[in-house]
Amino acid sequence: MKIYLPNSAFLGNIDPFLRSFESSNSKKLEITANKKWISIHPVVLSMVAALGLTVSPSNIYCEKLEAVSRHYLKRMGLFNLLNIKSEIEIKEHESTGRFIPLTKITNSEELTRFITDMIPLLHLEPKQAEPIKYIVSELVRNVLEHAQSENGAIVSAQYYEKSNSIRIGIVDTGVGIKETITMSHKVPSHLEALRLALTPGITGMTRREGGTDYNAGAGLFFIKSIAKVNRDFFMIYSGDAMYKLLKSKHESKHIRLCGNPFEDRHSKGDDFSFWKGTVVGIDLSLDATREFSILLDLIRDTYVKTVKERRKERFRRPRFI
Amino acid sequence: MIKLKLLPIVGSFAENKDFARDIRLKKIIPALENNQEVTLDFEGIDSATQSFIHALISDLIRKYGMEVLDEIYFKNCNETIKKIINIVADYMQD
């Protein structure tokens, strides 16, 4: 496998990065990077870490990094997590900033601890912390329950002062969304699997409306809705498919949530390098964070409407001949 | 009537579905089977995920019908938690 860390890869311009890495030869990983500057979203870092954890440390080759910003990779814990040496040194007195280094979460207890520790690290107020805790909990629980990923979920996050936003990456190298959704639904492609996974009330655990006693099929819809209401990016990538919720324009005062993710302002494709597992990246602007309870009103209306429409579509009358 | 304080079990952010399922199976269902009403006390809980509330109550509505909501009281819920409970109750009853 080969992965190149570009000059810039954030959710808005991540597509070339997702097309560029090579997933062949899964026993080896080669990491190269832009010589001058590396500026990447935490989701990119989580992807590199997740790939690295699938191979032995002795089979990871990381070229000598020259970019001025190379310290970021060290500070985020990439080399420690992968158990490989790096010549990059960080001076202890340097400001640590507001970030969550790469963390591997493999069980429920680790997740609970992570959520508790995460908020002080990001220096968030309770109102800002609420959606972030929510997002991390739901996404990591999805990984723990469905992904069958040996290395669990790889999470990292970073506060960006300029945009006053938190960017989060949650990645696994498990079975991917299509395999999970296929357990209960006919799914012809990875892209269709993403569409179904984002649709409220659809879960891979059952075809029944309302889900099982343990899964409702609502988690990803809630998270996409949080991003949409705050007019932020949300990206999900699995297999060869990627769906990205684009930022909505600030001029429109009324935000309409959509049960069908393809009705949102988005970009998508199914010609990306194959990712065995699932990748989720999200930006959360702290300026725009709406009251969580207002968001829940919108979600309630859309959720119930979508499920009702689907029930109506499925309704059949007996035919008397 | 049995009263369950959730905070000592689930913490201030109610997100662990395993705890929710345990509470349902080990506390709520046995009480309902004994014709006892149940009070779920959310005092001290700041927030909950939809997944947690789903794991706590959805199967009760499916098993016992929507009338089960006459047997359960949700106490000390803040606005967020009330709304999440309403969302789950809505989609389970439709």
Side-chain angles (χ1 to χ4, degrees):
Chain A
M1 298 180 286
K2 288 181 182 174
I3 200 157
Y4 173 77
L5 300 175
N7 174 260
S8 167
F10 290 89
L11 296 186
N13 65 352
I14 202 168
D15 300 29
F17 170 75
L18 300 184
R19 287 195 176 91
S20 71
F21 77 86
E22 287 181 28
S23 54
S24 58
N25 191 359
S26 58
K27 302 274 186 227
K28 283 187 175 180
L29 176 64
E30 185 182 316
I31 305 167
T32 54
N34 187 284
K35 303 278 182 224
K36 290 183 177 168
W37 191 264
I38 309 163
S39 190
I40 51 177
H41 192 284
V43 77
V44 174
L45 205 57
S46 293
M47 286 173 69
V48 178
L51 278 185
L53 286 171
T54 64
V55 302
S56 155
S58 60
N59 286 336
I60 300 175
Y61 165 76
C62 182
E63 74 168 0
K64 190 177 177 188
L65 301 172
E66 293 173 23
V68 179
S69 54
R70 63 188 181 274
H71 298 91
Y72 177 69
L73 305 182
K74 174 92 171 175
R75 197 183 294 286
M76 291 297 277
L78 179 66
F79 306 107
N80 278 350
L81 189 73
L82 298 183
N83 200 17
I84 57 173
K85 283 185 181 171
S86 118
E87 293 169 2
I88 304 167
E89 288 187 11
I90 300 173
K91 291 173 192 163
E92 287 303 319
H93 66 266
E94 282 179 20
S95 158
T96 54
R98 291 162 63 175
F99 65 92
I100 295 172
L102 286 160
T103 307
K104 182 166 109 167
I105 302 173
T106 57
N107 60 49
S108 189
E109 291 72 36
E110 286 176 5
L111 172 59
T112 302
R113 208 176 317 129
F114 179 83
I115 291 171
T116 309
D117 297 344
M118 175 179 81
I119 300 308
L121 283 173
L122 294 171
H123 308 271
L124 295 171
E125 295 165 19
K127 183 188 154 196
Q128 298 168 331
E130 202 168 12
I132 292 167
K133 287 196 295 187
Y134 196 100
I135 287 166
V136 171
S137 167
E138 292 283 32
L139 289 175
V140 176
R141 283 206 181 276
N142 273 354
V143 175
L144 300 179
E145 284 169 29
H146 307 301
Q148 301 170 46
S149 169
E150 202 179 317
N151 292 307
I154 309 300
V155 187
S156 63
Q158 169 85 42
Y159 170 75
Y160 291 81
E161 194 173 2
K162 198 175 169 188
S163 55
N164 191 26
S165 64
I166 302 278
R167 294 171 183 167
I168 306 169
I170 296 175
V171 173
D172 73 71
T173 48
V175 297
I177 300 229
K178 183 167 177 271
E179 186 157 328
T180 308
I181 291 284
T182 301
M183 289 162 65
S184 301
H185 302 271
K186 282 184 187 168
V187 188
S189 67
H190 290 280
L191 192 58
E192 177 62 7
L194 292 186
R195 189 187 72 78
L196 290 175
L198 290 164
T199 303
I202 291 185
T203 165
M205 299 297 106
T206 180
R207 286 187 69 82
R208 189 168 56 172
E209 289 294 346
T212 65
D213 68 325
Y214 202 63
N215 283 283
L220 285 173
F221 169 70
F222 267 64
I223 290 161
K224 176 177 74 73
S225 300
I226 291 170
K228 180 157 184 186
V229 168
N230 289 324
R231 303 173 201 277
D232 288 318
F233 281 119
F234 164 80
M235 185 272 293
I236 184 162
Y237 167 42
S238 183
D240 61 8
M242 187 272 281
Y243 169 91
K244 182 161 52 178
L245 178 79
L246 299 175
K247 288 185 174 203
S248 47
K249 289 169 189 160
H250 277 275
E251 297 90 68
S252 52
K253 282 184 184 170
H254 300 289
I255 290 200
R256 185 176 68 94
L257 298 183
C258 301
N260 179 354
F262 290 178
E263 289 176 10
D264 287 308
R265 187 167 176 265
H266 71 284
S267 69
K268 60 179 180 291
D270 54 4
D271 58 346
F272 293 90
S273 301
F274 193 89
W275 183 269
K276 190 184 169 299
T278 304
V279 172
V280 178
I282 187 163
D283 294 351
L284 210 61
S285 162
L286 301 181
D287 291 333
T289 306
R290 297 250 182 131
E291 286 292 343
F292 198 56
S293 66
I294 296 171
L295 165 74
L296 290 172
D297 289 334
L298 286 169
I299 287 178
R300 183 181 179 183
D301 293 346
T302 311
Y303 196 108
V304 171
K305 191 174 148 231
T306 307
V307 171
K308 265 186 186 167
E309 281 171 2
R310 200 163 51 241
R311 280 199 175 119
K312 211 172 158 187
E313 276 174 22
R314 283 186 185 167
F315 185 80
R316 298 287 182 276
R317 288 189 179 282
R319 290 183 297 177
F320 302 103
I321 55 172
Chain B
M1 160 86 77
I2 69 153
K3 294 177 183 176
L4 291 173
K5 279 193 174 290
L6 299 184
L7 181 66
I9 308 169
V10 306
S12 61
F13 178 41
E15 58 86 32
N16 191 327
K17 294 158 73 176
D18 297 332
F19 293 157
R21 180 163 59 184
D22 277 356
I23 294 165
R24 168 168 50 84
L25 294 174
K26 293 177 183 166
K27 308 272 187 189
I28 304 176
I29 290 182
L32 294 172
E33 294 290 333
N34 279 330
N35 295 317
Q36 286 181 296
E37 292 182 331
V38 177
T39 296
L40 299 173
D41 190 344
F42 285 77
E43 186 178 19
I45 298 182
D46 302 327
S47 189
T49 62
Q50 169 271 334
S51 294
F52 176 90
I53 300 296
H54 181 91
L56 187 69
I57 64 168
S58 69
D59 206 45
L60 302 175
I61 298 171
R62 185 166 275 148
K63 266 201 176 105
Y64 299 103
M66 52 196 273
E67 294 77 13
V68 77
L69 294 177
D70 297 333
E71 313 296 324
I72 302 173
Y73 296 91
F74 299 95
K75 190 177 175 187
N76 291 318
C77 297
N78 64 24
E79 271 310 293
T80 299
I81 294 170
K82 276 182 192 169
K83 286 182 180 181
I84 293 175
I85 291 171
N86 275 326
I87 289 172
V88 176
D90 273 1
Y91 69 65
M92 290 308 298
Q93 287 187 61
D94 259 323

